[in-house]
Amino acid sequence: MHDTGIGIARSLYDLDVPIIGLGKDRKCFGAHSKFCEFKIAPDSNQNPDLLLHYLIDLANSLQLKPILLPTRDYDIQFISNNYETLKEHYLVPQDKPEVIAKIANKNKLLNTARVLGMSCPEEIKISDSKDFSKYRNQIIFPCVVKPIHSHDWRGPELKHIIGNRKAIQFDNLQNLEKFYTQLKTVHPQIIIQQEIVGPDSNIHVFSAYINKNKSTTYYYTARKLLQYPMHYGTGIVLESYNSPEIIEPSLKLINTLDYSGMCEFEYKRDQRNNKFYLIEINTRHWDQHLLGTAFGVNLTQEQYLDWTNSNITSWSYSADNEIKTKWIADQELPFAAISLLLSKQIGIKTLASLVNGKKLYGRIDFRDVKLCFFSLKTSIVTLLTLSFYRLFKPKSRRNNSSPT
């Protein structure tokens, strides 16, 4: 239970409902938060069978049927695999497995979006070495390599090849072939996609909750300002931002997919033609879902009220409601800032401007003093470790660059 789970607990805290956060050990930040009761539980990826038994026992120990909310892609897969069993014991807002599968497969999702006239990156699906040899001369550079499903690249066996990246950019066939030679021995299925040109600030998101009757959609829009690694990493700084161009196509695609639940659409505007291209959809809470409060909507509260048949607030989207707000991954920012400054990918003035203004943090909330101290301690240890590594790592490793 990290940023996403803490955000969920923080969103529901004012409703004065009991919140239980689960994690595999007490290293989870949620273990140090006052916003929830933390319990150690089996991991959804490493021990799914044990987790299923644990969740059934937990539900049976509670007076009311609890709501089960995933915070990771592995959790989505786990819930889909055990959907009917979990529904006997929990309120499960996650949509049916067949709907989730259509969205999780990036290739199928983008094909559905194209039918609706939405702009999507051109792509080539690679299943094995034969496919790579067949299509190698059709690849247009620069390109971006991604997994077919987000969880495909999350395993420990891929850490030394992928690192923490969600996608990797390549400028030439030689580097791409070298990368695929490593990757295919572990996981040969990939998507090679057209690169959408533009800075991180060209990445816009449509974030929404569609109620269980599919009659109401609560949503807001935002954009990324900084990712780490830059361009294809995790969002470090985002801001509430009115992006009317992505609202209508997102609502149309939701209707076509017949989807209900929490979702986040990611688009990138290509600076060459000013078009928004759909990149992917997440079907769970994301780290910065609290940004909706800048537009006067708390998606998590709306979901909870919907599934507990409570009174749902009336709300309609309006850019006039917006209070310009930035969300910052406070635990990751120091590490990212030092790395980007040392590599001269960003300047101090630019970095300062990115974090200036009204802010929400992934973990820092002064109502939650214990978590603040734990987060600060962890940041200091991370910074000291990074500094030591930078000073003393061998020159040969220092000069090694990641694939481009």
Side-chain angles (χ1 to χ4, degrees):
M1 183 176 173
H2 292 284
D3 287 9
T4 303
I6 291 169
I8 291 172
R10 193 184 298 175
S11 295
L12 296 176
Y13 186 72
D14 292 335
L15 295 182
D16 195 26
V17 297
I19 302 162
I20 299 174
L22 303 180
K24 67 177 182 179
D25 54 46
R26 294 197 65 82
K27 294 178 182 177
C28 296
F29 281 82
H32 305 272
S33 174
K34 81 168 191 177
F35 292 128
C36 67
E37 177 190 355
F38 180 80
K39 293 180 180 290
I40 294 176
D43 185 86
S44 60
N45 177 47
Q46 298 172 352
N47 299 293
D49 292 337
L50 290 177
L51 177 60
L52 181 60
H53 290 297
Y54 176 90
L55 288 174
I56 292 172
D57 290 341
L58 177 61
N60 289 337
S61 71
L62 302 173
Q63 292 182 347
L64 298 175
K65 201 173 188 179
I67 297 178
L68 186 63
L69 301 178
T71 63
R72 308 183 305 163
D73 292 336
Y74 287 133
D75 300 340
I76 293 175
Q77 193 176 6
F78 167 79
I79 292 173
S80 287
N81 291 343
N82 301 282
Y83 190 70
E84 294 302 327
T85 301
L86 289 169
K87 281 179 64 178
E88 294 175 12
H89 303 274
Y90 287 86
L91 301 173
V92 182
Q94 180 172 304
D95 211 334
K96 297 182 290 294
E98 57 269 26
V99 177
I100 297 296
K102 286 191 297 185
I103 298 172
N105 187 308
K106 291 182 171 65
N107 184 252
K108 291 182 179 179
L109 171 66
L110 296 185
N111 284 337
T112 302
R114 288 188 185 99
V115 172
L116 297 177
M118 298 173 68
S119 297
C120 303
E122 295 300 322
E123 59 188 15
I124 300 172
K125 182 180 177 182
I126 302 294
S127 298
D128 50 35
S129 297
K130 289 183 180 179
D131 276 353
F132 191 88
S133 299
K134 178 180 178 181
Y135 295 112
R136 65 193 300 275
N137 294 326
Q138 298 180 30
I139 301 169
I140 299 174
F141 294 91
C143 69
V144 179
V145 175
K146 298 181 176 182
I148 294 176
H149 306 90
S150 297
H151 60 261
D152 290 346
W153 282 8
R154 300 292 173 87
E157 69 279 2
L158 288 165
K159 189 76 172 179
H160 69 289
I161 303 173
I162 307 297
N164 294 319
R165 294 169 292 185
K166 299 188 295 183
I168 305 174
Q169 190 256 7
F170 292 90
D171 291 319
N172 58 68
L173 183 59
Q174 181 181 359
N175 284 341
L176 176 58
E177 285 184 319
K178 182 180 178 181
F179 168 77
Y180 189 70
T181 299
Q182 283 185 291
L183 183 65
K184 69 180 181 183
T185 60
V186 184
H187 195 88
Q189 295 86 22
I190 58 170
I191 290 175
I192 301 176
Q193 202 172 75
Q194 164 198 3
E195 182 182 25
I196 306 303
V197 179
D200 287 350
S201 57
N202 279 20
I203 300 173
H204 294 232
V205 295
F206 170 87
S207 305
Y209 171 66
I210 303 94
N211 72 347
K212 59 185 177 182
N213 295 326
K214 302 175 186 175
S215 60
T216 306
T217 300
Y218 304 89
Y219 60 87
Y220 69 90
T221 57
R223 68 172 179 173
K224 295 186 177 183
L225 297 180
L226 180 66
Q227 298 187 113
Y228 184 77
M230 291 185 78
H231 307 308
Y232 300 104
T234 300
I236 302 295
V237 182
L238 292 91
E239 70 171 353
S240 58
Y241 191 84
N242 182 35
S243 303
E245 303 95 330
I246 65 176
I247 294 174
E248 185 178 344
S250 300
L251 293 173
K252 187 183 295 185
L253 183 53
I254 287 170
N255 185 60
T256 300
L257 293 168
D258 196 28
Y259 178 78
S260 69
M262 201 70 69
C263 62
E264 181 196 46
F265 287 58
E266 183 172 300
Y267 294 84
K268 186 169 184 180
R269 181 170 57 82
D270 195 312
Q271 66 184 25
R272 296 168 298 187
N273 58 19
N274 216 33
K275 287 184 179 179
F276 280 97
Y277 288 77
L278 177 65
I279 305 300
E280 64 178 1
I281 301 176
N282 292 315
T283 54
R284 58 170 174 83
H285 280 83
W286 46 98
D287 288 351
Q288 64 280 357
H289 59 85
L290 277 170
L291 263 181
T293 58
F295 286 99
V297 60
N298 185 322
L299 298 180
T300 308
Q301 284 193 12
E302 299 301 343
Q303 183 182 53
Y304 176 83
L305 295 172
D306 181 28
W307 279 84
T308 56
N309 298 315
S310 304
N311 292 325
I312 301 176
T313 58
S314 59
W315 175 87
S316 60
Y317 178 87
S318 172
D320 296 334
N321 292 339
E322 183 194 5
I323 301 172
K324 184 66 72 177
T325 307
K326 293 178 180 178
W327 179 91
I328 297 175
D330 46 280
Q331 186 64 35
E332 290 78 11
L333 180 62
F335 176 86
I338 289 176
S339 297
L340 295 172
L341 288 169
L342 289 176
S343 61
K344 298 182 179 179
Q345 296 182 68
I346 196 170
I348 293 178
K349 287 185 178 180
T350 301
L351 182 63
S353 68
L354 290 179
V355 300
N356 186 41
K358 179 178 171 61
K359 292 177 279 289
L360 291 169
Y361 295 98
R363 293 168 193 169
I364 293 176
D365 185 318
F366 294 113
R367 297 175 298 170
D368 202 356
V369 177
K370 185 180 176 182
L371 177 59
C372 288
F373 277 114
F374 182 77
S375 183
L376 178 62
K377 182 184 76 172
T378 307
S379 295
I380 292 172
V381 172
T382 301
L383 289 172
L384 290 175
T385 303
L386 175 61
S387 300
F388 182 87
Y389 176 73
R390 288 276 183 181
L391 287 171
F392 297 106
K393 71 176 179 177
K395 287 185 178 180
S396 59
R397 291 184 66 187
R398 195 175 300 177
N399 292 333
N400 280 345
S401 57
S402 52
T404 56

